Amino acid sequence: MDTIKISFDALKRDSWSEQETKNVKLIIEFVQLLMNDHDFDAVLTKFGNPHYVQHNRSIPDGMDALVEYVKSFSKQFPDYTYDVKHIYADGDFVIFHSHITTHRKDRGNDKKGINVHDSWRIKNGQIVAHWDSLQPMNAFLRLYFWLTGGKIANTNGVY
């Protein structure tokens, strides 16, 4: 699988503080390992912590649960990738606006895949919370999300 690499240099903003820059780099490494490299052991080793709260209602709390969710998704869609288009940083929060595709042939096609906004909160150098908003761009993924999105796996709420 040819892997998409998230480029800090291409996405950085001069307005970020030193701490915001550190937070962005932390999330870039995390997302690269999890969503593009699918290096789940490295994610758990580097980013696993007992304080991770998940606000995506389909995924239980904890880094282990997130890794299992993404691992399952990658088994169904081994060519999926996460292409970051914009990064925003505000204090302890980092937001990615990205394009997820499930098939190599769909990369770069904004009529396929998933438009996603992911938000993370960082505290003391650890990722402690995650929120997301997903917009499936084609009929297959709309149906997939509808069929798989009904079970609520945590009580944290979406806000």
Side-chain angles (χ1 to χ4, degrees):
M1 175 174 130
D2 52 321
T3 303
I4 287 179
K5 295 291 183 193
I6 304 167
S7 171
F8 172 79
D9 290 334
L11 297 163
K12 69 181 175 182
R13 307 276 173 118
D14 293 335
S15 61
W16 293 339
S17 70
E18 184 178 332
Q19 186 59 53
E20 288 169 336
T21 299
K22 286 180 185 177
N23 291 343
V24 167
K25 287 180 176 181
L26 177 85
I27 296 300
I28 285 175
E29 181 183 13
F30 169 71
V31 169
Q32 183 66 45
L33 288 169
L34 180 68
M35 301 295 281
N36 288 332
D37 298 345
H38 307 159
D39 190 343
F40 305 119
D41 292 335
V43 170
L44 291 173
T45 299
K46 292 183 177 193
F47 301 100
N49 73 69
H51 311 290
Y52 182 80
V53 176
Q54 180 61 255
H55 293 275
N56 176 320
R57 300 301 301 272
S58 299
I59 306 171
D61 285 337
M63 195 61 69
D64 290 348
L66 173 64
V67 164
E68 285 306 313
Y69 182 86
V70 175
K71 192 183 289 187
S72 174
F73 192 78
S74 71
K75 285 180 185 172
Q76 292 177 16
F77 305 103
D79 288 332
Y80 92 88
T81 53
Y82 187 98
D83 187 10
V84 179
K85 304 297 187 181
H86 306 282
I87 299 176
Y88 308 97
D90 184 12
D92 293 338
F93 291 88
V94 175
I95 301 166
F96 281 16
H97 182 200
S98 306
H99 183 209
I100 294 174
T101 51
T102 55
H103 302 290
R104 183 171 295 138
K105 66 181 173 58
D106 295 335
R107 291 179 189 168
N109 182 350
D110 68 0
K111 291 179 174 51
K112 301 285 185 172
I114 305 162
N115 175 32
V116 61
H117 282 88
D118 281 298
S119 302
W120 294 272
R121 186 166 66 84
I122 295 96
K123 183 175 181 181
N124 299 324
Q126 291 189 321
I127 303 167
V128 295
H130 170 258
W131 298 259
D132 61 13
S133 179
L134 306 167
Q135 179 187 19
M137 303 305 291
N138 56 299
F140 168 75
L141 285 169
R142 287 186 188 114
L143 178 62
Y144 176 84
F145 274 70
W146 183 72
L147 292 172
T148 62
K151 182 180 176 191
I152 295 175
N154 67 57
T155 59
N156 301 322
V158 295
Y159 305 105

